[in-house]
Amino acid sequence: MKRTIIALAVLAGFVLAQAWDFEAGKEFHVSQNTHQQSWYFLARYNLPLSSEVLGTRLWALPEVGIWVPDSKPYYGYFRLQFLVDQTFGTLFVDSKYNFSPVNDDVSVRIGVRFGWPP
């Protein structure tokens, strides 16, 4: 029984590792009036909502992140993407909610991404 639990835990670890994306880095923002640097951290979960049907699959990608600018207060965001993924193109709806001590911001993008398999 103990070996079965350990084997299931290892398998679950591999499954979660395939589904989660973690990112950390430094962002450099340059505009006409400002030059700003920020550290950022984010986590995204790749959640298939359907099995593949005729090469098409529906995905949801919830994401949370935090930006820590050098000269301003930190802020975070919540992002949710829905993708209808096909081999050569993807239809998407991308919504993002930024929350900060100064103001809140909501954006929505709807579009098509094109790509070619390797």
Side-chain angles (χ1 to χ4, degrees):
M1 183 67 174
K2 193 176 201 180
R3 289 182 185 179
T4 304
I5 291 172
I6 291 172
L8 288 174
V10 169
L11 181 63
F14 284 121
V15 169
L16 288 175
Q18 298 284 328
W20 282 97
D21 291 332
F22 298 99
E23 187 176 329
K26 183 99 174 182
E27 177 185 72
F28 301 91
H29 179 78
V30 179
S31 69
Q32 193 172 20
N33 300 324
T34 62
H35 297 73
Q36 178 180 316
Q37 298 180 23
S38 304
W39 286 100
Y40 69 91
F41 309 93
L42 66 90
R44 179 184 313 115
Y45 188 73
N46 302 305
L47 177 65
L49 297 178
S50 70
S51 59
E52 188 172 317
V53 177
L54 299 174
T56 303
R57 190 170 209 172
L58 178 63
W59 293 83
L61 284 74
E63 178 180 313
V64 293
I66 187 165
W67 253 249
V68 186
D70 290 343
S71 60
K72 295 181 181 178
Y74 70 90
Y75 65 94
Y77 72 92
F78 174 75
R79 181 178 190 178
L80 180 60
Q81 296 182 61
F82 290 102
L83 308 173
V84 178
D85 191 20
Q86 179 55 267
T87 304
F88 295 104
T90 302
L91 299 172
F92 69 88
V93 175
D94 183 359
S95 59
K96 187 174 181 183
Y97 173 68
N98 292 318
F99 50 92
S100 71
V102 179
N103 64 345
D104 294 345
D105 181 15
V106 176
S107 64
V108 176
R109 295 183 308 154
I110 300 170
V112 178
R113 296 178 188 152
F114 295 103
W116 285 263

